[in-house]
Amino acid sequence: RGIQPLLRFLSREGRKRFFTLSNMGKTEASPMALKKILSPVSDALDKVCSVAIVIMLGLMVVITTAQIICRTFFTSLSRSDEVTRYLLIWSTFLGATCVYRHSGNIAITFIQDLVPKKLGAVMRIAVHAICCFLFAVLLVFSVKYCGKLVKTATALPIKMKYIYLCIPISMGILMLHALVMALGEVETMKEVKG
């Protein structure tokens, strides 16, 4: 259910709906059409990340509890610390995507509150554009870094690039969220005009 908007966008019909015909017969992308397509994809990814985070945090609690019980009464579990650490890394980066999507980051907005609504929307668009640029830079460098990693984890038979793959994945999701939120601000600017 959460993946369906993404699949619709990737389908041929979804891409066709993205484009609108202008009066001149040329094809151009409308920002609102783009938002209409990308917003459900962003929402679906947000739901998938939220569920993944809950599962990861639940696994961390179960593994840590089992480790404490085994260490106290039996023999300590050998790989539990590393599994918990890697689950924490993944849940942190996926959690950042959910926090950004719901504007849960700490923000100082008193300047935006003082200026007219249209200028405030322009400022928020600029913030999302800067964030999108930052996410793009981090995406590029994290993909390069993951490509170079050949090491295996200390206790687990997992390549470290799979552990650090959470960084480019979360940066891609964050870029999508930033684009959708910036398009939402463009829509807000049009409503203020009208």
Side-chain angles (χ1 to χ4, degrees):
R1 183 177 172 195
I3 303 295
Q4 289 174 349
L6 178 61
L7 295 176
R8 266 187 269 143
F9 175 71
L10 295 175
S11 71
R12 183 175 223 169
E13 295 80 31
R15 288 191 310 271
K16 273 186 180 177
R17 273 190 304 159
F18 166 72
F19 293 101
T20 57
L21 292 174
S22 68
N23 293 338
M24 303 297 284
K26 298 177 183 173
T27 304
E28 63 180 49
S30 161
M32 294 312 109
L34 181 61
K35 184 180 185 291
K36 196 173 185 180
I37 295 293
L38 293 181
S39 189
V41 175
S42 176
D43 292 339
L45 286 171
D46 183 52
K47 288 177 186 174
V48 168
C49 288
S50 297
V51 169
I53 292 165
V54 169
I55 291 169
M56 287 179 197
L57 292 176
L59 283 171
M60 287 170 55
V61 169
V62 168
I63 292 169
T64 304
T65 303
Q67 168 66 1
I68 292 168
I69 291 170
C70 288
R71 185 177 50 204
T72 305
F73 299 109
F74 310 106
T75 305
S76 180
L77 299 175
S78 62
R79 300 176 179 181
S80 64
D81 292 339
E82 199 167 44
V83 171
T84 304
R85 187 179 319 122
Y86 297 150
L87 286 172
L88 179 63
I89 291 169
W90 271 85
S91 62
T92 299
F93 279 96
L94 292 180
T97 66
C98 295
V99 169
Y100 186 83
R101 179 69 174 110
H102 298 284
S103 301
N105 297 320
I106 296 172
I108 302 170
T109 61
F110 73 92
I111 295 175
Q112 291 177 12
D113 297 339
L114 292 175
V115 298
K117 286 186 177 182
K118 186 176 176 183
L119 184 57
V122 169
M123 292 170 75
R124 285 187 293 278
I125 290 170
V127 167
H128 291 306
I130 292 168
C131 287
C132 195
F133 174 75
L134 173 67
F135 300 147
V137 170
L138 290 171
L139 175 67
V140 168
F141 284 103
S142 63
V143 167
K144 287 180 183 179
Y145 182 72
C146 286
K148 292 178 184 177
L149 281 175
V150 292
K151 251 180 13 176
T152 306
T154 308
L156 297 171
I158 298 174
K159 298 266 185 201
M160 289 303 291
K161 66 180 164 187
Y162 299 122
I163 303 301
Y164 290 112
L165 197 61
C166 65
I167 301 171
I169 289 172
S170 62
M171 291 306 123
I173 295 171
L174 283 165
M175 283 176 61
L176 175 66
H177 290 336
L179 180 60
V180 168
M181 293 171 78
L183 291 171
E185 293 299 332
V186 170
E187 195 172 36
T188 301
M189 280 178 54
K190 288 185 177 182
E191 289 173 5
V192 170
K193 273 186 181 180

